């Protein structure tokens, strides 16, 4: 019960902080006219939200994500407000955000590979491969069903999203946590499970990347009717 209550606390508090900082961030854009340095403002808001979330024992990652959702969809959240100033600032930081996201993805995968024990990878290779296939062909399509009510996607568009979209960045960022906790608190059971979880995650990411690369052109042509 304590774990469930703490999980709910993390989710609710993180979302509340994220929405609050998103609203505050939008208001500051309009009041302070921040068109000259949107990149610095973006970093300050994201890192500030992350630090605040961690300080109250919530999830800093979720706080930063919610802030981004609010500001990235400002035309939906602030329909009755003057959007010109905010639109200019948010548009100015898009390219910067893409560069930072690519760098963060590279760092995450480097850390993932550096913390992996090859012996653990070999011990769960076949089981990990089976789990990877279940994730790609079963779990992701089922999870993707939540997208359907958001828009009138065609069945082919839905298949393309669930088979080609995920790259495994978030799982790779979280996969090392059990192992890290096991090593920190000298918990042998948690360490063993953490090594297995990390190994299976790596296998799943490798299978996903290989399959998505091999069938990208075919899915694009068959499902979307495009040559490239």
């Amino acid at each position: 019960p304590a774990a469930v209550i703490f999980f709910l606390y993390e989710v609710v508090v993180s979302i509340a902080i994220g929405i609050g900082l998103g609203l505050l961030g939008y208001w500051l854009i309009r009041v302070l006219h921040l068109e000259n340095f949107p990149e610095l403002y973006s970093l300050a808001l994201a890192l500030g939200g992350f630090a605040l979330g961690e300080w109250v024992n919530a999830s800093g990652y979720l706080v930063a994500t919610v802030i981004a959702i609010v500001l990235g969809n400002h035309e939906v959240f602030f329909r009755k407000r003057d959007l010109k100033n905010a639109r200019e600032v948010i548009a100015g930081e898009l390219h910067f955000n893409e560069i930072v996201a690519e760098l963060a993805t590279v760092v995450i995968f480097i850390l993932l590979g550096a913390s992996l024990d090859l012996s653990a990878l070999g011990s769960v290779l076949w089981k990990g491969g089976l789990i990877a296939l279940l994730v790609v062909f079963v779990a992701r399509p089922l999870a993707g069903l939540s997208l359907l009510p958001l828009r009138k996607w065609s069945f082919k568009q839905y298949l393309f999203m669930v088979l080609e979209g995920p790259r495994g960045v978030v799982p790779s960022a979280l996969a090392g946590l059990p192992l890290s906790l096991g090593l920190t608190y000298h918990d042998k059971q948690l360490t063993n499970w953490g090594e297995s979880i990390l190994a299976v995650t790596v296998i799943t990411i490798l299978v996903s990347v290989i399959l998505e690369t091999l069938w990208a052109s075919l899915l694009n042509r068959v499902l979307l009717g495009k040559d490239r």
Side-chain angles (χ1 to χ4, degrees):
V4 173
I5 293 173
F6 182 68
F7 172 76
L8 294 176
Y9 165 82
E10 280 194 316
V11 172
V12 173
V13 172
S14 300
I15 291 176
I17 294 175
I19 292 175
L21 289 179
L23 296 175
L24 177 63
Y26 180 83
W27 179 78
L28 289 176
I29 288 174
R30 299 176 66 244
V31 172
L32 300 180
H33 302 286
L34 302 171
E35 297 89 346
N36 295 328
F37 45 92
E39 297 85 2
L40 294 179
Y41 180 70
S42 173
L43 281 177
L45 195 59
L47 294 177
F50 177 87
L52 180 58
E54 293 295 313
W55 182 65
V56 298
N57 290 322
S59 172
Y61 298 103
L62 183 56
V63 171
T65 301
V66 174
I67 294 173
I69 291 174
V70 173
L71 292 180
N73 296 275
H74 58 90
E75 294 183 353
V76 176
F77 286 95
F78 309 101
R79 291 181 179 179
K80 297 182 180 180
R81 304 283 186 92
D82 178 19
L83 299 173
K84 183 178 179 180
N85 189 20
R87 186 182 298 114
E88 291 176 354
V89 174
I90 294 173
E93 67 183 17
L94 281 179
H95 182 62
F96 172 75
N97 291 346
E98 291 175 357
I99 295 175
V100 173
E102 290 297 329
L103 289 175
T105 301
V106 171
V107 172
I108 287 172
F109 282 118
I110 290 175
L111 293 176
L112 180 68
S115 59
L116 180 65
D117 185 351
L118 292 180
S119 61
L121 182 65
S123 64
V124 297
L125 185 60
W126 294 108
K127 294 179 181 179
L130 178 60
I131 292 175
L133 294 177
L134 289 174
V135 168
V136 172
F137 293 105
V138 179
R140 286 176 181 167
L142 289 176
L145 291 174
S146 60
L147 296 172
L148 296 181
L150 301 179
R151 182 179 167 185
K152 293 182 179 179
W153 305 100
S154 69
F155 182 69
K156 290 184 177 181
Q157 290 174 325
Y158 157 76
L159 281 181
F160 184 83
M161 286 188 292
V162 298
L163 293 177
E164 185 60 27
R167 293 185 294 176
V169 177
V170 175
S172 65
L174 299 176
L177 183 58
L179 178 59
S180 176
L181 291 174
L183 294 174
T184 300
Y185 295 104
H186 307 288
D187 188 322
K188 185 175 181 180
Q189 185 177 16
L190 188 57
T191 300
N192 292 335
W193 276 104
E195 290 179 345
S196 297
I197 291 172
L198 187 63
V200 171
T201 302
V202 170
I203 294 172
T204 302
I205 292 173
L206 289 175
V207 171
S208 299
V209 171
I210 292 172
L211 288 178
E212 290 178 14
T213 302
L214 291 175
W215 67 31
S217 298
L218 177 63
L219 292 180
N220 201 25
R221 183 172 62 255
V222 174
L223 298 178
L224 301 183
K226 299 178 181 180
D227 293 332
R228 300 179 61 184

